[in-house]
């Protein structure tokens, strides 16, 4: 039996942004990021490895809320967040949202 855990965090983009691998320009706003990790079984230590990172996109279409879930890499997400922060003229720092 595989033991896994999922954590989530909210990230904020202050400007429209793009993610590597997607053609879409996503709107500024707050987004939920889910990270799922599996336990690496070992006698000496407890460790987890990341198996997925998902970004939740909520949009309104014809007055109805819709949600898409995109599978993204933590590196691409961090790069988009850093670019957003740099656009504001603020120093960018690694988010570490997915590095537990």
């Amino acid at each position: 039996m595989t033991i896994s855990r999922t954590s989530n965090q909210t990230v904020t983009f202050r400007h429209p942004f793009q993610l590597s691998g997607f053609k879409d320009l996503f709107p500024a706003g707050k987004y939920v990021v889910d990270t799922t990790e599996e336990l690496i079984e070992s006698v000496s230590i407890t460790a987890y490895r990341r198996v997925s990172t998902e970004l939740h996109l909520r949009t309104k279409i014809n007055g109805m809320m819709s949600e898409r879930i995109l599978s993204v890499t933590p590196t691409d997400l961090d790069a988009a967040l850093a670019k957003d922060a740099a656009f504001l003229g603020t120093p960018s720092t690694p988010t570490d949202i997915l590095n537990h």
Side-chain angles (χ1 to χ4, degrees):
M1 179 176 149
T2 302
I3 298 173
S4 64
R5 66 183 184 185
T6 300
S7 60
N8 65 40
Q9 184 164 357
T10 301
V11 297
T12 302
F13 285 93
R14 298 185 191 276
H15 298 89
F17 65 99
Q18 286 187 294
L19 291 168
S20 180
F22 297 93
K23 295 177 193 173
D24 302 350
L25 181 64
F26 302 110
K30 292 184 180 187
Y31 293 85
V32 173
V33 177
D34 290 335
T35 301
T36 302
E37 300 169 315
E38 288 182 348
L39 179 66
I40 299 171
E41 299 203 34
S42 171
V43 176
S44 59
I45 63 168
T46 300
Y48 287 83
R49 72 178 168 96
R50 185 179 310 118
V51 293
S52 70
T53 302
E54 300 173 330
L55 180 72
H56 294 252
L57 290 167
R58 291 190 178 123
T59 55
K60 196 179 259 190
I61 301 172
N62 296 327
M64 305 228 4
M65 289 302 291
S66 173
E67 183 176 57
R68 284 174 50 196
I69 299 175
L70 304 178
S71 183
V72 299
T73 67
T75 305
D76 290 342
L77 182 58
D78 281 345
L81 287 163
K83 187 174 181 179
D84 187 63
F87 184 69
L88 290 172
T90 58
S92 60
T93 58
T95 61
D96 290 336
I97 61 170
L98 308 172
N99 301 324
H100 299 264

